[in-house]
Amino acid sequence: MAKKQKYDCIKCPAYCCSYAHIETKKKDIQRMADAFGLTFEECKKKHTKKGDKDTPRVLRHQKDEHYGTICKFIDLETRNCTIYEARPKICREFPTQKRCGYYDFLSFEREVQDDETWVATTDN
Ligand code: SF4
Ligand code: SF4
């Protein structure tokens, strides 16, 4: 049986979605294209941009009050993914362990500060 995860994404403002390089491979772009009714090239241009050597194609970002920028597919009010069924493979796999480092940090600080709404900000 799979081990129980030690994090709760519902209580987190989607820190992992603020990573600058959220990888999109060909299969990811095609999955999104199918969901949006776009061609592969239309989807690639509209929703992804050039990354770096390790991640040549990445999701585009939007401005975000907490992290500077965040994936364009986050709903800024609910902090939920708006393309959950069509999200890239990397989003489905993260975090790869039963713990999430950011969630551990967030939980610790919220307890210490006695503030369940506290958010650790970063500036990308
Ligand atoms: S940073 Fe961790 S807890 Fe927050 S949404 Fe991502 S996986 Fe979930
Ligand atoms: S596609 Fe969804 S899960 Fe992936 S980074 Fe963007 S908002 Fe987060």
Side-chain angles (χ1 to χ4, degrees):
M1 196 170 95
K3 287 186 178 162
K4 198 170 182 302
Q5 64 190 42
K6 304 275 190 192
Y7 55 92
D8 184 353
C9 298
I10 299 294
K11 293 181 180 169
C12 172
Y15 172 72
C16 52
C17 302
S18 75
Y19 291 169
H21 288 171
I22 300 167
E23 182 179 42
T24 50
K25 293 189 170 171
K26 282 186 178 167
K27 271 190 177 175
D28 297 316
I29 296 173
Q30 190 59 59
R31 190 185 309 107
M32 291 192 294
D34 292 344
F36 298 140
L38 298 172
T39 65
F40 179 90
E41 284 305 323
E42 285 170 344
C43 184
K44 182 178 173 185
K45 190 172 173 189
K46 188 171 182 187
H47 299 304
T48 71
K49 64 179 184 177
K50 200 168 178 290
D52 62 11
K53 190 167 64 66
D54 296 328
T55 48
R57 209 73 204 168
V58 300
L59 287 176
R60 288 186 182 275
H61 272 206
Q62 61 180 322
K63 286 198 188 312
D64 181 56
E65 62 170 319
H66 297 306
Y67 305 122
T69 69
I70 196 165
C71 173
K72 68 177 288 187
F73 294 117
I74 272 286
D75 181 317
L76 295 173
E77 294 299 319
T78 65
R79 311 300 293 185
N80 291 333
C81 176
T82 58
I83 59 160
Y84 197 73
E85 296 300 323
R87 70 197 190 287
K89 184 167 179 275
I90 191 90
C91 305
R92 295 159 193 270
E93 295 173 346
F94 187 87
T96 52
Q97 296 157 344
K98 66 175 180 171
R99 300 201 85 92
C100 166
Y102 180 81
Y103 189 77
D104 284 345
F105 173 59
L106 193 69
S107 307
F108 175 79
E109 285 295 333
R110 282 178 174 176
E111 196 171 324
V112 168
Q113 300 189 31
D114 195 20
D115 180 358
E116 270 305 301
T117 63
W118 185 83
V119 173
T121 56
T122 59
D123 206 350
N124 290 318

